[in-house]
PDB file of all heavy atoms in Angstrom:
ATOM      1  N   THR S 185     -30.619  23.286  59.074  1.00 45.00           N
ATOM      2  CA  THR S 185     -31.385  22.289  59.838  1.00 45.00           C
ATOM      3  C   THR S 185     -32.193  21.444  58.876  1.00 45.00           C
ATOM      4  O   THR S 185     -32.335  21.752  57.709  1.00 45.00           O
ATOM      5  CB  THR S 185     -32.378  22.959  60.795  1.00 45.00           C
ATOM      6  OG1 THR S 185     -33.309  23.692  60.000  1.00 45.00           O
ATOM      7  CG2 THR S 185     -31.673  23.890  61.754  1.00 45.00           C
ATOM      8  N   LYS S 186     -32.733  20.369  59.428  1.00 48.00           N
ATOM      9  CA  LYS S 186     -33.533  19.468  58.587  1.00 48.00           C
ATOM     10  C   LYS S 186     -34.769  20.165  58.052  1.00 48.00           C
ATOM     11  O   LYS S 186     -35.222  19.893  56.952  1.00 48.00           O
ATOM     12  CB  LYS S 186     -33.957  18.236  59.396  1.00 48.00           C
ATOM     13  CG  LYS S 186     -32.783  17.341  59.750  1.00 48.00           C
ATOM     14  CD  LYS S 186     -33.211  16.067  60.455  1.00 48.00           C
ATOM     15  CE  LYS S 186     -32.015  15.457  61.175  1.00 48.00           C
ATOM     16  NZ  LYS S 186     -32.156  15.453  62.620  1.00 48.00           N
ATOM     17  N   GLU S 187     -35.314  21.101  58.869  1.00 48.00           N
ATOM     18  CA  GLU S 187     -36.532  21.780  58.419  1.00 48.00           C
ATOM     19  C   GLU S 187     -36.253  22.734  57.281  1.00 48.00           C
ATOM     20  O   GLU S 187     -37.047  22.901  56.374  1.00 48.00           O
ATOM     21  CB  GLU S 187     -37.188  22.580  59.562  1.00 48.00           C
ATOM     22  CG  GLU S 187     -37.787  21.743  60.644  1.00 48.00           C
ATOM     23  CD  GLU S 187     -36.876  21.647  61.860  1.00 48.00           C
ATOM     24  OE1 GLU S 187     -35.800  22.265  61.843  1.00 48.00           O
ATOM     25  OE2 GLU S 187     -37.261  20.958  62.799  1.00 48.00           O
ATOM     26  N   LEU S 188     -35.088  23.374  57.377  1.00 51.00           N
ATOM     27  CA  LEU S 188     -34.787  24.411  56.396  1.00 51.00           C
ATOM     28  C   LEU S 188     -34.465  23.866  55.021  1.00 51.00           C
ATOM     29  O   LEU S 188     -34.840  24.429  54.016  1.00 51.00           O
ATOM     30  CB  LEU S 188     -33.605  25.253  56.870  1.00 51.00           C
ATOM     31  CG  LEU S 188     -33.938  26.467  57.713  1.00 51.00           C
ATOM     32  CD1 LEU S 188     -32.664  27.177  58.071  1.00 51.00           C
ATOM     33  CD2 LEU S 188     -34.860  27.416  56.965  1.00 51.00           C
ATOM     34  N   ARG S 189     -33.705  22.769  54.991  1.00 54.00           N
ATOM     35  CA  ARG S 189     -33.236  22.262  53.708  1.00 54.00           C
ATOM     36  C   ARG S 189     -34.368  22.049  52.706  1.00 54.00           C
ATOM     37  O   ARG S 189     -34.302  22.577  51.622  1.00 54.00           O
ATOM     38  CB  ARG S 189     -32.463  20.966  53.886  1.00 54.00           C
ATOM     39  CG  ARG S 189     -31.049  21.159  54.386  1.00 54.00           C
ATOM     40  CD  ARG S 189     -30.316  19.848  54.364  1.00 54.00           C
ATOM     41  NE  ARG S 189     -29.829  19.530  53.044  1.00 54.00           N
ATOM     42  CZ  ARG S 189     -28.540  19.549  52.707  1.00 54.00           C
ATOM     43  NH1 ARG S 189     -27.637  19.895  53.587  1.00 54.00           N
ATOM     44  NH2 ARG S 189     -28.163  19.235  51.502  1.00 54.00           N
ATOM     45  N   PRO S 190     -35.413  21.328  53.096  1.00 56.00           N
ATOM     46  CA  PRO S 190     -36.484  21.121  52.099  1.00 56.00           C
ATOM     47  C   PRO S 190     -37.154  22.426  51.708  1.00 56.00           C
ATOM     48  O   PRO S 190     -37.500  22.609  50.538  1.00 56.00           O
ATOM     49  CB  PRO S 190     -37.489  20.199  52.808  1.00 56.00           C
ATOM     50  CG  PRO S 190     -36.945  19.934  54.140  1.00 56.00           C
ATOM     51  CD  PRO S 190     -35.639  20.588  54.315  1.00 56.00           C
ATOM     52  N   ALA S 191     -37.301  23.340  52.660  1.00 56.00           N
ATOM     53  CA  ALA S 191     -37.952  24.617  52.353  1.00 56.00           C
ATOM     54  C   ALA S 191     -37.141  25.422  51.357  1.00 56.00           C
ATOM     55  O   ALA S 191     -37.659  25.991  50.406  1.00 56.00           O
ATOM     56  CB  ALA S 191     -38.162  25.414  53.627  1.00 56.00           C
ATOM     57  N   LEU S 192     -35.822  25.431  51.576  1.00 57.00           N
ATOM     58  CA  LEU S 192     -34.973  26.198  50.676  1.00 57.00           C
ATOM     59  C   LEU S 192     -34.908  25.556  49.304  1.00 57.00           C
ATOM     60  O   LEU S 192     -34.935  26.237  48.291  1.00 57.00           O
ATOM     61  CB  LEU S 192     -33.567  26.325  51.269  1.00 57.00           C
ATOM     62  CG  LEU S 192     -33.469  27.347  52.392  1.00 57.00           C
ATOM     63  CD1 LEU S 192     -32.186  27.179  53.150  1.00 57.00           C
ATOM     64  CD2 LEU S 192     -33.585  28.751  51.852  1.00 57.00           C
ATOM     65  N   LYS S 193     -34.818  24.241  49.300  1.00 57.00           N
ATOM     66  CA  LYS S 193     -34.795  23.546  48.021  1.00 57.00           C
ATOM     67  C   LYS S 193     -36.095  23.821  47.277  1.00 57.00           C
ATOM     68  O   LYS S 193     -36.121  23.951  46.063  1.00 57.00           O
ATOM     69  CB  LYS S 193     -34.629  22.042  48.233  1.00 57.00           C
ATOM     70  CG  LYS S 193     -33.227  21.657  48.740  1.00 57.00           C
ATOM     71  CD  LYS S 193     -32.719  20.403  48.072  1.00 57.00           C
ATOM     72  CE  LYS S 193     -31.231  20.464  47.913  1.00 57.00           C
ATOM     73  NZ  LYS S 193     -30.521  19.451  48.684  1.00 57.00           N
ATOM     74  N   ASP S 194     -37.156  23.950  48.030  1.00 58.00           N
ATOM     75  CA  ASP S 194     -38.469  24.241  47.471  1.00 58.00           C
ATOM     76  C   ASP S 194     -38.456  25.591  46.758  1.00 58.00           C
ATOM     77  O   ASP S 194     -38.975  25.729  45.657  1.00 58.00           O
ATOM     78  CB  ASP S 194     -39.502  24.235  48.610  1.00 58.00           C
ATOM     79  CG  ASP S 194     -40.895  24.320  48.073  1.00 58.00           C
ATOM     80  OD1 ASP S 194     -41.189  23.594  47.106  1.00 58.00           O
ATOM     81  OD2 ASP S 194     -41.684  25.117  48.601  1.00 58.00           O
ATOM     82  N   ILE S 195     -37.830  26.563  47.394  1.00 56.00           N
ATOM     83  CA  ILE S 195     -37.751  27.897  46.776  1.00 56.00           C
ATOM     84  C   ILE S 195     -36.996  27.808  45.460  1.00 56.00           C
ATOM     85  O   ILE S 195     -37.394  28.379  44.459  1.00 56.00           O
ATOM     86  CB  ILE S 195     -37.024  28.906  47.698  1.00 56.00           C
ATOM     87  CG1 ILE S 195     -37.780  29.069  48.996  1.00 56.00           C
ATOM     88  CG2 ILE S 195     -36.879  30.250  47.013  1.00 56.00           C
ATOM     89  CD1 ILE S 195     -37.044  29.880  50.028  1.00 56.00           C
ATOM     90  N   VAL S 196     -35.910  27.059  45.496  1.00 55.00           N
ATOM     91  CA  VAL S 196     -35.089  26.943  44.293  1.00 55.00           C
ATOM     92  C   VAL S 196     -35.858  26.236  43.191  1.00 55.00           C
ATOM     93  O   VAL S 196     -35.874  26.667  42.046  1.00 55.00           O
ATOM     94  CB  VAL S 196     -33.786  26.167  44.588  1.00 55.00           C
ATOM     95  CG1 VAL S 196     -32.974  25.999  43.327  1.00 55.00           C
ATOM     96  CG2 VAL S 196     -32.971  26.911  45.630  1.00 55.00           C
TER      97      VAL S 196
END
Side-chain angles (χ1 to χ4, degrees):
Chain S
T185 63
K186 292 185 198 115
E187 291 100 1
L188 270 181
R189 282 187 81 109
L192 283 166
K193 290 221 147 115
D194 189 45
I195 299 172
V196 178

